[in-house]
Amino acid sequence: MIHVVGNAAIDTVIRVDHLPQRGETIVALGAADDLGGKGANQAIVIARCECDVRLVASVGDDLAGERIRRNLAAEGVRIDGLRIWTGRTDRCVICVDRDGENTIVSVVDAASSFDPIGADCIGRRVAPGDWMILQGNLRASVTRACLALAKEKGALTALNPSPVYLAAEYDWSLVDLVVLNSGEAVALGGCPDPIEAARALLAAGAESVVVTLGAEGAMLLSGRDTMRVRAAVTAAVDTTGAGDVFCGALIASRAAGRRWREALIVAAEAAAICVARAGVLASFPTREELAAVFRRPIPEPA
């Protein structure tokens, strides 16, 4: 079982010619609402990879929360870890320009008030050999407590630290796998070079670190392996959600027993499908596309 502990929200994606500057008012090219939140995104990708996955998150007692529960269940995500709170469901507003770059503003009241352990949403469900994945949407103290619980239960832990906390808020010794982009690595590793920053996280106690490098691919660093894979060639339309697709496909691959190189290539190819299309959930690879990626033979390194 893979337990994704994080958030679920409604994403409003606004397409613009260019991202607005301070004080600037611009006219949108279009807008659409979709299910989102990093936790929900990653859980859906994992479900589409045909893995058994549960989302542990907080949604409001409103129509948006009902929509999220219904859509997650339709995707095959277990929703018995969802807490329904007496407030509004969280929301993200995402502006995407013609080059596919984005800015995101999030309302996180449901996530910031959520304690999965105190609400009895997770503890009794974690078993030895499971995976637990967290992001940066819950309070730092809650994230540390959930990671510690997973380690006590004999589960493997993964952290995708976005949004990032202050560097001092992390206990890297609780994390088996860190998945982050170059900017997050620099922010948390205290070094302007993302690879050296990743090595700093290893030195601080993380077992393995994967750094995504956009068009330059991704790199794994651990005490046993160091390797780099190329990004799949594609024309970027919208990068929103690509990190969640990469992270979800990577964890699903590892949970299925794939070796690191295979898992990284699968994750990179899945993310390439996402960036070639507009939207968030609408751009995610389908079950059929992910199945094709998983079936594709992985060439031997040159």
Side-chain angles (χ1 to χ4, degrees):
M1 171 66 71
I2 301 174
H3 310 271
V4 182
V5 183
N7 73 324
I10 295 297
D11 286 345
T12 298
V13 180
I14 302 174
R15 305 197 65 79
V16 294
D17 181 73
H18 64 277
L19 299 176
Q21 303 297 312
R22 178 178 295 183
E24 181 183 14
T25 300
I26 61 176
V27 177
L29 303 176
D33 285 346
D34 210 342
L35 184 151
K38 292 188 69 65
N41 288 345
Q42 292 175 14
I44 287 171
V45 173
I46 292 167
R48 291 184 183 181
C49 291
E50 303 297 342
C51 289
D52 200 3
V53 59
R54 167 181 290 113
L55 178 63
V56 180
S58 179
V59 297
D61 59 349
D62 52 10
L63 290 177
E66 180 182 343
R67 175 184 176 183
I68 288 172
R69 296 193 300 274
R70 184 173 62 250
N71 289 359
L72 287 170
E75 290 280 357
V77 177
R78 296 196 187 197
I79 61 172
D80 54 352
L82 293 182
R83 178 197 72 161
I84 302 174
W85 82 305
T86 55
R88 298 181 64 181
T89 295
D90 288 344
R91 178 174 291 275
C92 294
V93 178
I94 306 165
C95 288
V96 183
D97 70 12
R98 288 190 181 274
D99 296 323
E101 296 301 320
N102 64 71
T103 59
I104 302 175
V105 178
S106 298
V107 177
V108 296
D109 293 340
S112 63
S113 69
F114 185 41
D115 176 3
I117 299 174
D120 196 26
C121 293
I122 188 65
R124 55 192 169 86
R125 297 186 171 98
V126 180
D130 286 356
W131 277 86
M132 183 185 289
I133 311 170
L134 291 105
Q135 307 82 36
N137 301 102
L138 306 182
R139 300 190 307 278
S141 59
V142 170
T143 295
R144 290 195 303 272
C146 288
L147 291 169
L149 172 69
K151 298 295 281 186
E152 291 170 7
K153 296 279 188 175
L156 295 164
T157 59
L159 179 63
N160 175 217
S162 177
V164 298
Y165 312 131
L166 295 175
E169 296 278 11
Y170 294 90
D171 182 350
W172 298 110
S173 68
L174 299 173
V175 187
D176 294 309
L177 171 61
V178 185
V179 183
L180 71 179
N181 63 31
S182 57
E184 292 156 356
V186 168
L188 295 174
C191 177
D193 178 79
I195 304 306
E196 291 304 315
R199 290 194 176 97
L201 300 185
L202 288 178
E207 182 172 323
S208 301
V209 180
V210 170
V211 184
T212 59
L213 301 166
E216 297 180 11
M219 189 160 186
L220 162 74
L221 299 96
S222 75
R224 297 178 297 276
D225 299 288
T226 299
M227 65 185 69
R228 188 166 189 158
V229 299
R230 296 178 180 178
V233 178
T234 189
V237 173
D238 185 349
T239 60
T240 310
D244 292 333
V245 171
F246 182 96
C247 186
L250 180 69
I251 299 299
S253 296
R254 291 293 287 168
R258 285 182 176 257
R259 296 181 178 180
W260 272 118
R261 183 171 173 276
E262 296 174 332
L264 289 166
I265 291 173
V266 165
E269 291 187 359
I273 294 172
C274 175
V275 301
R277 299 194 286 233
V280 186
L281 185 59
S283 73
F284 285 9
T286 64
R287 288 178 183 271
E288 293 74 19
E289 288 171 328
L290 286 167
V293 170
F294 271 74
R295 286 196 304 266
R296 192 171 301 142
I298 303 296
E300 292 298 323

